[in-house]
Amino acid sequence: MRQWLSFFRGVRRVVALVFGLTCTPVNAGSNQVIIVAHPALAINTITESELSRIYLLRQTFWSDGLPIIALNREVNSPTRDLFTSRVLNQTATALASHWQQMHFKGKTPPLVQESDQAVLVFVEKVPGAIGYVSIDTPVGNNVKVLAKLP
Amino acid sequence: MSNYSNQLPRVQHSLSRRFLLVLAGIFLLTYLSVAATIFASISQHLARSIQSRLTQTADDSVEKCQNEFSRQLIDVQAWAALEVMNDLITGDIDGRIGRTLVQLKKQYTLPDHIYVFDDNGKLIASSREEALPQPTVIPPEWRSNHSGAYFVDKHSNALLTNAGLAFGINVYASFNPELRIGTLIITYPWHSVETKMNNRATPILILSDNNDALLYSSPNLPALSGNNFKALRLADKEINLLKNSLLVGIASTATANNPAFPHWTIMALSPREQALQPIRDAAMQILLLGLGIAVPIMLIMLWQARRLVQPIISLTHTVTDITFSADLSKRVVVDSDDELGILGHAFNAMTTKLQSSVEELAQLNRTLEQKVVDRTIALQSANAELQSTIDQLQSAQSQLVQQEKMASLGQLVAGVAHELNNPIGAIYANLPILEEYVRDLIELIADLEQMPLNDAQKQALQKNLAHIDFEFVREDSVNLINSCKNAALRVKDIVVSLRNFSRLDEAELKDVLLEDGLDSTLALLYHTTRNRIEIKKHYGLKKPVRCHAGQINQVFMNLLSNAIHAISNKGIIQISTLRQDDHAVVIIYDTGCGMSPETLKKIFDPFFTTKKIGEGTGLGLSISYNIIEKHHGQFTVESDPEYGTCFTIKLPFTQPENEQ
């Protein structure tokens, strides 16, 4: 399996390089993120602390028992930087370290999607999914907007 | 040596030939059985090795397939678990899956492509970089509800235009294993399978287990039609195919624990003729080896058979020679120390023994006659001994009779002598008186004549005297009386001698003077010696000898009477007595006719006599001899026809007391 792990790292690096360079300037200047979730989700709002619990993998199920599928953006994304520093109040390094620990404890870190569109489609399609998109992104009715933060 | 061998019957079943045949038979049997065993073993071994090689080849092919397909299956499983597959949910809006697939194909140099379909069957991404017609949907054969990786057997479709295989897996969301989000397919072109299966040495067949379809056939195999496949799959080790007999090794790719594997039967084939060539080579080698061994073995057997039989032939010849020539000195030449050599030695020993036996027999035969003669002589001597015993018995009987007769005669003589003694005594006593009377009468007459007488008277006287012839009477009367006196004296002597001689009253031992006996005997024989034979006496003994006087006198009587008979005309008988130590010796020698040595030998035999029949009994000397013997004396005789005969009697002075 070792070769597979190395392969993943290789893929990630390539993906980060290609997308990070092209997508970074898109959301510059915005300072808010929209928290979106699957339309059928039981809750309608969410607080920062609840988000922190979810993204720090302390809460993995919704109140109705559905598994929480948190979405993240790629490393180089300004939206992710914003979400990390402003909503979760964490540094990227500390968060990565935390997720790594959690990973080893058997908890999956939030999935990465490389565009707001992808996040939106994913949240729309997957029950229990939650994610964030840039404030500039038009959000249709296919997803439930839980909050605009910070 | 073989002088007589032509007289033997011809050898019908030669021992050497039989020996050869038996050995050859044994060799052939052994060789054939060994060769058959070796050949069977080799061919079995070779067949098994060919079979195992074929099976090995089939197994190798299966392993090759399994390795290859396992890799594909692992790939498919791993790739399906990639996080990027979650993008199926978003329809790969970012193109991440497409990029990944292109990357993977390049990195793994896949022979064909990777396709990813979403759960609805719509093609989301593929490793093909050229544009594909949109919308492309998943071919039905690639679909499966199988939970793990699965295998799609040889097929072709729009995406897999040339035939090939496909490995597929349903993709689930990484965050939710329940959520199926699509299908991942790796295609595998058939020509890659063919490339892997292509084995120049051994042709390979691949049959599908599902529909008995031929999937692959090596190019060097003849074209096969569909109806053979079933038979092919059922073939075990060998199959007849298109007039060729083929050896088959079979292996199956199906594994019980992995249903995702293809169900193929892979067969490795080898033409029987080609495969069994080594077996035929081995058979040829064994045959050549057999021939190679046979030649020296036959030569050795021939040599050994000759060697074995030669001594027997030699023995037979010798036996024949001995049989026909009857020469037992012949011997077998023994030049070996085996059993036949020992037989030869034994035969020689037997011949030696036989020879000595035969010689012994001949010797016995030769000495037999001598032995018969010896035995005859012995028999004759025994016979003679018996005869002599009979004679002795007869003589003893005769002696007894004679002795009894003599005893009776002695008694008679003694009686006669005793009776005669008185009258003869009277006569003898009266005769001198009678002589005196006669003398007186004659003187008276003379006186008468002288007287003065007348003439008449004178004349009458003269006349009477003349009448009685007085002158003659005067002269004759003196003579007569003398004669009578002599006669009377002789009668007296005879009577005394008879008494002395008989001495029957003296049966017991008595000391007597032998000279008396001799004198008495001479007196009895006086009438035969008178005027004819001079008796010379040399009596030197003068000592009494203890003996049976009557018997000794009988001996003297016999000897002297014989001596007298031996002297036919005039002669001398010399009688000597003398002492010799404690023996008395009497020697009676006569100058008679003597005896020849033949006669001398027989004189002591009973009934031997030289006198006329009726004159002598032939017992005299025999009895005398016995008497002297009884007295423990010796009786010897010397005789010569020229000088006469000399008898010597040697008697001991005393006799043992107990003898009576």
Side-chain angles (χ1 to χ4, degrees), chain B residues 426-436 480-481 484-486 488:
Chain B
I427 293 166
Y428 187 72
N430 291 342
L431 270 177
I433 299 162
L434 185 64
E435 193 186 14
E436 213 177 310
L480 275 175
I481 285 170
C484 281
K485 270 172 83 177
N486 281 339

Side-chain angles (χ1 to χ4, degrees), chain B residues 455-488:
Chain B
D455 280 347
Q457 279 177 315
K458 236 182 180 177
Q459 270 211 315
L461 191 59
Q462 280 295 330
K463 198 189 166 185
N464 279 344
L465 283 175
H467 183 68
I468 57 167
D469 197 1
F470 178 70
E471 277 305 311
F472 177 71
V473 169
R474 199 183 53 184
E475 281 177 21
D476 197 37
S477 65
V478 175
N479 283 343
L480 275 175
I481 285 170
N482 278 340
S483 175
C484 281
K485 270 172 83 177
N486 281 339

Side-chain angles (χ1 to χ4, degrees), chain B residues 313-383:
Chain B
I313 290 170
S314 156
L315 185 63
T316 311
H317 282 165
T318 311
V319 170
T320 316
D321 279 5
I322 289 172
T323 309
F324 287 103
S325 69
D327 179 7
L328 283 170
S329 64
K330 294 191 174 168
R331 292 288 178 272
V332 185
V333 181
V334 180
D335 52 0
S336 64
D337 50 359
D338 53 9
E339 286 85 346
L340 287 170
I342 290 164
L343 174 65
H345 283 305
F347 177 77
N348 282 346
M350 188 194 75
T351 315
T352 310
K353 196 79 188 286
L354 206 62
Q355 190 179 13
S356 75
S357 296
V358 166
E359 277 169 9
E360 209 173 312
L361 265 176
Q363 184 64 35
L364 274 176
N365 214 6
R366 275 197 292 279
T367 55
L368 194 60
E369 281 176 35
Q370 185 58 44
K371 276 196 176 173
V372 167
V373 169
D374 289 352
R375 287 290 152 84
T376 311
I377 288 166
L379 210 59
Q380 279 171 349
S381 84
N383 209 5

Side-chain angles (χ1 to χ4, degrees), chain A residues 32-142:
Chain A
Q32 266 194 320
V33 291
I34 304 167
I35 307 300
V36 290
H38 190 270
L41 200 66
I43 53 167
N44 293 322
T45 57
I46 194 160
T47 60
E48 277 185 42
S49 64
E50 278 172 338
L51 272 176
S52 283
R53 285 176 58 80
I54 286 165
Y55 273 88
L56 292 177
L57 307 178
R58 284 174 187 141
Q59 182 186 347
T60 51
F61 291 95
W62 297 113
S63 52
D64 56 358
L66 207 65
I68 298 169
I69 297 151
L71 295 177
N72 205 356
R73 287 293 301 276
E74 75 276 10
V75 177
N76 298 323
S77 163
T79 318
R80 175 166 166 164
D81 288 344
L82 188 67
F83 182 74
T84 307
S85 55
R86 300 293 298 278
V87 180
L88 302 180
N89 293 315
Q90 298 278 345
T91 60
T93 330
L95 193 61
S97 171
H98 177 74
W99 278 337
Q100 206 158 6
Q101 280 181 29
M102 285 296 139
H103 201 162
F104 282 112
K105 285 177 180 174
K107 291 178 179 174
T108 320
L111 295 170
V112 173
Q113 287 296 325
E114 292 182 351
S115 64
D116 284 349
Q117 281 68 38
V119 170
L120 287 175
V121 172
F122 195 99
V123 166
E124 181 194 336
K125 297 244 170 107
V126 178
I130 183 167
Y132 57 90
V133 294
S134 164
I135 195 77
D136 304 326
T137 310
V139 176
N141 296 326
N142 296 330

Side-chain angles (χ1 to χ4, degrees), chain B residues 380-497:
Chain B
Q380 279 171 349
S381 84
N383 209 5
E385 209 173 313
L386 274 173
Q387 191 62 49
S388 88
T389 310
I390 288 168
D391 291 351
Q392 275 176 8
L393 278 171
Q394 281 180 347
S395 97
Q397 192 189 13
S398 302
Q399 277 174 16
L400 278 171
V401 170
Q402 179 75 4
Q403 276 178 351
E404 202 58 37
K405 204 165 76 186
M406 293 300 281
S408 303
L409 190 66
Q411 250 174 349
L412 184 67
V413 166
V416 169
H418 185 73
E419 289 305 317
L420 281 176
N421 199 31
N422 289 342
I424 207 70
I427 293 166
Y428 187 72
N430 291 342
L431 270 177
I433 299 162
L434 185 64
E435 193 186 14
E436 213 177 310
Y437 289 173
V438 167
R439 201 164 50 230
D440 285 350
L441 283 172
I442 289 166
E443 276 175 12
L444 183 63
I445 288 163
D447 283 346
L448 276 173
E449 276 181 325
Q450 295 300 319
M451 276 176 175
L453 283 168
N454 56 14
D455 280 347
Q457 279 177 315
K458 236 182 180 177
Q459 270 211 315
L461 191 59
Q462 280 295 330
K463 198 189 166 185
N464 279 344
L465 283 175
H467 183 68
I468 57 167
D469 197 1
F470 178 70
E471 277 305 311
F472 177 71
V473 169
R474 199 183 53 184
E475 281 177 21
D476 197 37
S477 65
V478 175
N479 283 343
L480 275 175
I481 285 170
N482 278 340
S483 175
C484 281
K485 270 172 83 177
N486 281 339
L489 191 64
R490 260 205 70 214
V491 169
K492 202 179 161 225
D493 280 354
I494 286 170
V495 167
V496 170
S497 296

Side-chain angles (χ1 to χ4, degrees), chain A residues 4 8 19 69 111-112 115, chain B residues 79 82 87 94 96 99 175:
Chain A
W4 295 111
F8 284 134
F19 284 84
I69 297 151
L111 295 170
V112 173
S115 64
Chain B
W79 296 343
L82 285 178
D87 285 9
D94 296 332
R96 278 205 300 185
R99 288 196 297 277
F175 49 86

